[in-house]
Amino acid sequence: MSEQLTESVTVPDKLAKMATENEWPLDKLESMLQLFSPFQVQILLDRKMTAAQAERLLSGERPDENAPLYTPEQEEYIDNLKAGKYNLRWLQDQEPTWGVRSSLSSRGLTLMDINKAYAGEPEDVAPTDSMAPRGAVLDPEYPGMGYTMNSKYELWADNVAPLYEEAVSRQWSVTRDIPWQDLKPLPNDLERAQCEFCTFLTEVEMIASDFPAKWLWRMNQHYHEVKMFLCTQAMDESRHLEVFRKRALANGGGLLHARAETELGLANILHAPSYIQGSFLMHVVGEGLVLDIFRAGEFLAQNKVEKEMYRLCMQDEARHVSYGTMHLKYFLENHPDREKAERELHAVAEIAERGFTGFLCNSFIIEPLAVLAGGGIKHIDKGMEAVKIVWKRITDEYLNRCDLAGLDRRSRIVLPAEAPY
Amino acid sequence: MQFPSIEWFNAVQKEAEIEADTFRRMGFCDATMLLALGTGDDARRFILAFEDYGMTSVREVDESESADADFQLSADNAVWREMIENIRTHGEADLEHTLNRLQLPGALALSASDQQNEDLFYRYNQTFQEFFNLSSRVQTEFSVDASA
C-alpha cells in the first residue's frame, strides 16, 4: 500500500493529546502513523472518531455508516443554519488589507502593483509556517507546513516579481510557434551533429525543473513570488525538453548518445545539499553555460526551425540566470555570516569550475558544435574556432555574473580564460 | 526614409503597431537599447526605449548620454547597412543576419555596464529581432557614408 513504511514514528504532541482525549491507545496511533500522515489522522480525531472506526477506515474497508462525518463545531454550525442563524465572524474580523485598491500599470495588474498598494513586501523572516496569504488573518492554531526555508535571504531576489510577470507574458508553444514545416533534410554529418547536440540538451534541460521542484515545498509561502517564478522556470524547462526532443526526432535523425559525464553534472545540481549551492550551480553556472550554448545554437542554425527554437530558449534561460544572479547577490548581502557564506560558495564554485570541463572538453558536445560551425565534418577545424569563442564567452560572462553578485571569482577562477585546445 | 534617423525607427514602430498581436504574444519587453552606428566623430547614437510590448520612444544622443541605456550595440555603418538590406531582401533577417548571429562573433559589439543589463539583449531577443525584421516594410535610403 505504501513505500513510506518506517520502523518507528514520532507522534506529534498535539496528536498524542487529541488521541488521549479520544481514548485512542497510543500504540494504535503509532501504527496508523506508519502508513498515514499526522494530518490525515488529525482529520479523523477532529471528528471524534473512535479508534476502532479509525482503524476500519484506514484498513480500506467500506465506510462505517456510524463513523462521524462532521466535527462537533460543524455539527453545531449546521444546527444553527437550520435555525436560520449565520455565523458572520468573517464580517467582524480585523482585516489588515481591507480598503486596498491597487492602481493598474500600463500592462494590467502586476504583482508589483499589488505589493505597492498595501506595503506587501515580504518580511526578512516569515511570520508563520502556513500557506495563509501574506496580508491575511490566520487562525492562532494551525497545523504548520514544515517549511525549512523561512528567511528571505535564503531564496529572495529583488527582481523576482517582475521576472515572474515577464515569464508569464513571454511563454511560447513548441507545437505552434516553431515553423516545423520549414524543416528540410540536412547532410548526414550536420543532422548527426544537430541531433547529438539536441540529445545533450534534451538530457540536461529538465534538471532546471527537477531542482526547483525539489526545493519548492520547503520555501515558506510568505515568499510566494519566488515559488511562482520557479514554477514558470519548471514550465520553461519542460518546454525546452520538448523542443529539443522534437527536433532530434523530426528530421530523419534521432536521439543519439547521452554521456555519464553529463549525468554527473546533473546529479551534482539535483543533490546539492542546500538551495543556495544548487541555485548557484544551476542558475548561475549551469544555465549561464547553457545560455551561451543556446546563443551558439542560434548562431549555427541551419534553418529557421533551429533559429527560432534556440532564440526562444535563450530568452527563457536568460530569465533564470537573472534570478540566480540576483538571488546570489541578495543571499550574500543579507547572510548573517557573509564571510562564512562566501567561503562555502568559493568551494562550490571551484568544484563547479572543474566540472565545467565535463562540458567544454566533452567530445560529444564540442565536436558537434564545431561541425555545425564549420558547415560539415570536413571543416571541423574551422568550426573549433567558434567553440573557442564560446569558451571565452562562457568564462567571461560567468565572472561578470559573480562580480555583480559580489562573489569575487576573478582572482580565484581555476578555468583558463581561453580554451586549452 | 533615411537610415539611421528618428523617423526611420518611428516608421518601424508604426509597422510594429500594425502587428500588435504578434508583439503582445511575444510578451513584455523592458529595456533601453543604444545603437551606435559608425565610428569616430561621425558616429551616431540612438537610444530606443522598449516598454510593455514595443518601442515607446527613440532619441538621438551624444556620447555623454550613452550611459542612459541598459546596453549598447555598436558596429560600423557597413554592418548595419548589410543587415538592413538583408532584411529588406528577404522580408526578415536570413540565417546569417540575425542580431545574435551578427553579435556573437563581434560584427555587432554588445556592451553594458554589467552582465545583468547585457543579458537583456538575450532576454528580449525575439522582440528586438521581430522589430528589426519589420524594417523590411520601410523604404530605406542610406547616408552617403553608410558603407564606410
Side-chain angles (χ1 to χ4, degrees):
Chain A
M1 188 170 180
S2 169
E3 293 170 7
Q4 303 299 317
L5 192 61
T6 51
E7 290 297 318
S8 63
V9 293
T10 306
V11 180
D13 290 347
K14 182 183 172 186
L15 213 58
K17 188 166 172 253
M18 290 174 80
T20 307
E21 285 167 4
N22 281 273
E23 298 176 349
W24 285 22
L26 201 59
D27 61 330
K28 288 215 185 303
L29 179 61
E30 281 173 351
S31 67
M32 286 176 195
L33 289 176
Q34 289 206 331
L35 286 175
F36 298 95
S37 78
F39 308 106
Q40 289 171 309
V41 175
Q42 188 184 330
I43 286 174
L44 309 185
L45 283 165
D46 276 345
R47 277 146 187 79
K48 307 294 179 199
M49 213 173 259
T50 66
Q53 286 171 330
E55 269 191 310
R56 172 174 166 160
L57 184 155
L58 296 179
S59 70
E61 286 182 32
R62 295 184 66 79
D64 174 354
E65 58 188 30
N66 295 317
L69 175 61
Y70 305 111
T71 66
E73 294 76 18
Q74 288 166 353
E75 284 183 351
E76 186 186 345
Y77 180 55
I78 290 167
D79 289 343
N80 285 339
L81 286 176
K82 283 179 181 167
K85 285 163 62 182
Y86 293 93
N87 175 284
L88 299 182
R89 201 190 107 193
W90 58 274
L91 270 176
Q92 295 146 20
D93 267 342
Q94 182 194 2
E95 299 97 350
T97 56
W98 188 249
V100 172
R101 184 169 283 110
S102 174
S103 54
L104 302 182
S105 63
S106 56
R107 59 192 59 173
L109 185 60
T110 67
L111 288 180
M112 295 78 81
D113 298 329
I114 289 290
N115 283 351
K116 204 166 136 190
Y118 83 105
E121 295 299 332
E123 295 173 37
D124 289 342
V125 177
T128 78
D129 183 29
S130 76
M131 293 193 83
R134 208 165 69 223
V137 178
L138 173 65
D139 281 340
E141 284 193 30
Y142 56 90
M145 301 306 294
Y147 297 129
T148 58
M149 297 173 70
N150 297 304
S151 294
K152 193 175 177 184
Y153 78 90
E154 294 177 288
L155 68 168
W156 191 253
D158 280 335
N159 60 348
V160 73
L163 278 177
Y164 169 77
E165 293 283 350
E166 184 181 312
V168 171
S169 87
R170 293 189 81 89
Q171 293 293 298
W172 50 281
S173 158
V174 173
T175 302
R176 183 195 61 203
D177 295 329
I178 303 294
W180 295 107
Q181 67 280 3
D182 292 349
L183 208 50
K184 301 280 188 309
L186 288 175
N188 190 54
D189 53 352
L190 292 177
E191 182 64 24
R192 283 191 79 91
Q194 188 62 249
C195 285
E196 184 55 56
F197 204 40
C198 285
T199 302
F200 163 69
L201 291 170
T202 304
E203 181 184 13
V204 302
E205 281 301 283
M206 223 160 150
I207 191 67
S209 297
D210 285 354
F211 173 78
K214 174 184 168 181
W215 288 92
L216 213 49
W217 77 266
R218 300 163 206 245
M219 296 178 174
N220 195 297
Q221 182 80 357
H222 189 67
Y223 308 109
H224 59 257
E225 292 92 337
V226 177
K227 301 176 78 156
M228 291 161 75
F229 172 72
L230 291 174
C231 287
T232 69
Q233 173 172 339
M235 182 62 225
D236 292 344
E237 301 297 352
S238 155
R239 192 168 48 240
H240 295 181
L241 178 150
E242 179 190 356
V243 77
F244 294 118
R245 185 175 175 82
K246 283 182 173 174
R247 171 59 191 87
L249 293 164
N251 202 32
L255 290 159
L256 299 177
H257 198 122
R259 301 293 310 280
E261 230 171 355
T262 309
E263 292 292 312
L264 179 62
L266 298 175
N268 188 30
I269 291 170
L270 186 60
H271 299 294
S274 64
Y275 180 71
I276 185 61
Q277 282 199 23
S279 171
F280 176 74
L281 290 170
M282 185 186 72
H283 289 118
V284 180
V285 179
E287 295 198 279
L289 178 147
V290 170
L291 174 58
D292 275 308
I293 285 182
F294 286 163
R295 297 188 59 218
E298 199 270 359
F299 176 84
L300 302 172
Q302 306 291 316
N303 48 55
K304 208 177 158 192
V305 168
E306 290 156 16
K307 214 70 176 165
E308 291 289 322
M309 73 181 195
Y310 284 112
R311 187 160 53 224
L312 287 163
C313 288
M314 177 169 91
Q315 299 193 143
D316 296 341
E317 211 75 359
R319 282 195 301 275
H320 311 162
V321 174
S322 179
Y323 162 74
T325 306
M326 296 309 280
H327 169 52
L328 178 61
K329 183 174 192 288
Y330 194 91
F331 179 86
L332 289 172
E333 286 175 355
N334 294 279
H335 195 283
D337 186 348
R338 177 170 181 145
E339 198 186 325
K340 185 176 165 221
E342 275 195 42
R343 274 202 306 273
E344 179 185 332
L345 281 163
H346 277 305
V348 173
E350 186 173 334
I351 297 170
E353 288 161 15
R354 293 179 191 280
F356 256 130
T357 58
F359 297 93
L360 296 175
C361 298
N362 183 331
S363 60
F364 283 69
I365 297 171
I366 62 173
E367 290 180 10
L369 264 178
V371 168
L372 290 168
I377 192 75
K378 282 185 182 166
H379 306 293
I380 190 169
D381 287 346
K382 186 180 154 211
M384 281 303 286
E385 294 307 311
V387 174
K388 291 177 191 173
I389 292 174
V390 173
W391 176 297
K392 181 155 178 33
R393 280 203 168 271
I394 286 171
T395 50
D396 281 352
E397 293 184 1
Y398 162 71
L399 286 173
N400 290 344
R401 292 188 184 104
C402 287
D403 284 348
L404 182 65
L407 184 70
D408 175 23
R409 288 303 300 163
R410 213 165 276 281
S411 59
R412 296 178 181 226
I413 188 167
V414 293
L415 273 177
E418 308 280 344
Y421 33 74
Chain B
M1 202 156 299
Q2 198 76 18
F3 176 85
S5 66
I6 288 174
E7 292 73 26
W8 189 89
F9 289 112
N10 280 328
V12 176
Q13 175 53 24
K14 278 219 171 346
E15 295 298 329
E17 283 160 17
I18 294 168
E19 303 297 333
D21 285 349
T22 304
F23 279 83
R24 282 188 79 86
R25 199 155 99 180
M26 284 188 292
F28 304 146
C29 175
D30 294 301
T32 50
M33 171 202 296
L34 186 140
L35 302 182
L37 304 98
T39 51
D41 293 343
D42 295 334
R44 295 182 68 184
R45 295 174 183 80
F46 295 84
I47 289 185
L48 282 61
F50 287 81
E51 200 178 338
D52 297 344
Y53 301 109
M55 191 190 80
T56 50
S57 70
V58 55
R59 62 195 170 99
E60 186 161 9
V61 297
D62 59 33
E63 198 167 359
S64 66
E65 294 172 277
S66 296
D68 292 352
D70 291 322
F71 64 87
Q72 173 171 335
L73 280 175
S74 48
D76 288 345
N77 286 318
V79 174
W80 289 110
R81 178 171 185 160
E82 185 182 324
M83 184 184 92
I84 301 297
E85 286 183 336
N86 178 273
I87 288 170
R88 176 83 182 157
T89 304
H90 297 93
E92 62 183 351
D94 72 1
L95 300 183
E96 310 292 319
H97 290 86
T98 58
L99 291 167
N100 180 65
R101 178 70 175 75
L102 292 168
Q103 192 280 317
L104 196 63
L108 275 181
L110 172 65
S111 59
S113 59
D114 63 40
Q115 193 62 44
Q116 191 78 353
N117 281 336
E118 187 174 314
D119 286 352
L120 295 174
F121 174 67
Y122 318 133
R123 257 166 66 189
Y124 305 126
N125 199 270
Q126 190 79 355
T127 301
F128 300 144
Q129 189 62 58
E130 191 63 29
F131 180 84
F132 278 100
N133 281 351
L134 286 171
S135 71
S136 65
R137 299 182 190 171
V138 175
Q139 203 65 43
T140 302
E141 292 168 11
F142 295 91
S143 315
V144 179
D145 66 344
S147 60

